[in-house]
Amino acid sequence: MDEVKKGLEGVVVDESRVCKVDGEEGKIWYAGYDMDDLARYSSYEELLFLLWNDRLPSADELDEIRGEMQERRSLPDGVADLIDREAARTGPMDLLRTSVSALASYDDTPNDLDDPTDRSLGVIAKMPTIIARAHRARQGDDPVEPRDDLGHAENFLYTLHGEEPTAEEASAMDSTFILYAEHGMNASTFSACVTASTLANVYSSLTSAVGTLQGPLHGGATETVIEMLEEVGDPSRASEYVEEKVSNKEKIPGFGHRVYETVDPRCAHFKRHIEELNPDSELLAVADAVREEVEVRLGDKGIWPNTDLYAGALYRELGVPTPFYTTLFSASRAAGWSAHVAEQLDDNRIMRPRVKFVGETGREYVPVDER
Ligand code: SDX
């Protein structure tokens, strides 16, 4: 019993049908369907249905979930006011986490766990609205009210910029929602499941997950990658940058993964959309140059590009402000979080691991005036 698995490396906590990640081959399957196919041909709304129901929707079912998302994307006044009041002084991920939590106040029965994916849908439909409103409030711009005749990704860009995106931009945005939607038992999903395992409500599970994704070792890397690419500045400086990081034994954002032993398959899709929108993307050129240098210096250590290396460069092409990249990752990953929460509740047992105690025991208490 006493072997410590730091970071829970290699620990299998449960069985799941939601996602298979093959780290050796660099492949991902969402409920049995190849992520490559879904990223090219599906939509985020369809993927939500798939992850929640373990099958693709019929045309009517797809229309129904699309309509449900459109009806539930507006914010309660109290949450809208919270965002307008706090956006100027609150970090985007802190404000998203607080807003998700605040949604519980507008649910008559927040602790009801009978239909967790229905409650999750109400949160997921609203997360892009929260993000766009927060950005515009930080800019001093009036909010753009969501429309009920646009798709999930399309409506996000509309409420962010105040104008409808092109079909290409909407498709690329929808692809980012699909690519970030689900990835097995990553840290933020595990956090959601631990919370759900105590039978806490869905708002608590999703709030736990948003808080967990924030860290730069996880979802926060989407932003630290851009800081890196802008620091490097030009492909010609990639070698010097990587050399310095490697010699200082510093981690390079956008690289490395607990599961992958090859390139993260999501990278190719992010790159594909960047090249379609802007073949001359400077961030893409720098990312590729850094990637070449890392593969030379750290390829034999099994350090490969992960999904965050290119995501930010695509968000940049879509006009998403850098401080909001991880909030979008959250809005997307809420699909996976909610699917795993539903699975957890279907066959629940409270998560309660052990620690190996290495401290002292049997110490005598001494009153403070005798110490
Ligand atoms: C995501 O889990 C998921 O599925 C996550 C995710 C998802 O979709 O949910 O895929 C999304 O979070 C992607 C990861 C984003 N994070 C980063 O890009 C931050 C940089 N990456 C590292 O911090 C790291 O690679 C992790 C956090 C991703 C993984 O950490 P591990 O598995 O605990 O690996 P480790 O820190 O123990 O490193 C093992 C070795 C070390 O060398 P040694 O001390 O053994 O000599 O690899 C080295 C590390 O120094 N290493 C790196 C490196 N990542 C690991 N060296 C340089 N640069 C890196 N990025």
Side-chain angles (χ1 to χ4, degrees), residues 64 148 307:
E64 188 184 344
D148 62 6
T307 185

Side-chain angles (χ1 to χ4, degrees), residues 183 186-187 216-219 221 249-258 264 266 298 301 303 306-308 329 333:
H183 206 244
N186 56 86
L217 293 185
H218 193 10
K249 281 198 159 303
E250 288 175 66
K251 299 240 173 94
I252 302 167
F255 294 89
H257 201 279
R258 179 66 63 78
D264 185 321
R266 295 168 288 184
L298 296 172
K301 279 192 76 173
I303 308 301
N306 65 49
T307 185
D308 295 324
F329 188 156
R333 184 54 57 85

Side-chain angles (χ1 to χ4, degrees), residues 44 48 52 68-69 72-76 79 96-105 107 110 116-131 152 177 201-207 209-210 330-335 337-338:
Y44 187 65
L48 266 178
W52 289 346
E68 189 75 15
M69 296 274 281
R72 298 172 70 176
R73 57 180 47 144
S74 292
L75 301 178
V79 174
L96 176 65
R97 187 192 65 236
T98 304
S99 303
V100 166
S101 182
L103 289 173
S105 307
D107 181 335
T117 53
D118 176 64
R119 260 172 185 75
S120 297
L121 187 150
V123 176
I124 292 168
K126 294 176 177 68
M127 287 173 89
T129 311
I130 292 166
I131 294 166
H152 189 66
F177 273 103
N201 68 38
V202 166
Y203 301 97
S204 293
S205 298
L206 296 179
T207 301
V210 175
S330 305
S332 165
R333 184 54 57 85
W337 296 335
S338 56

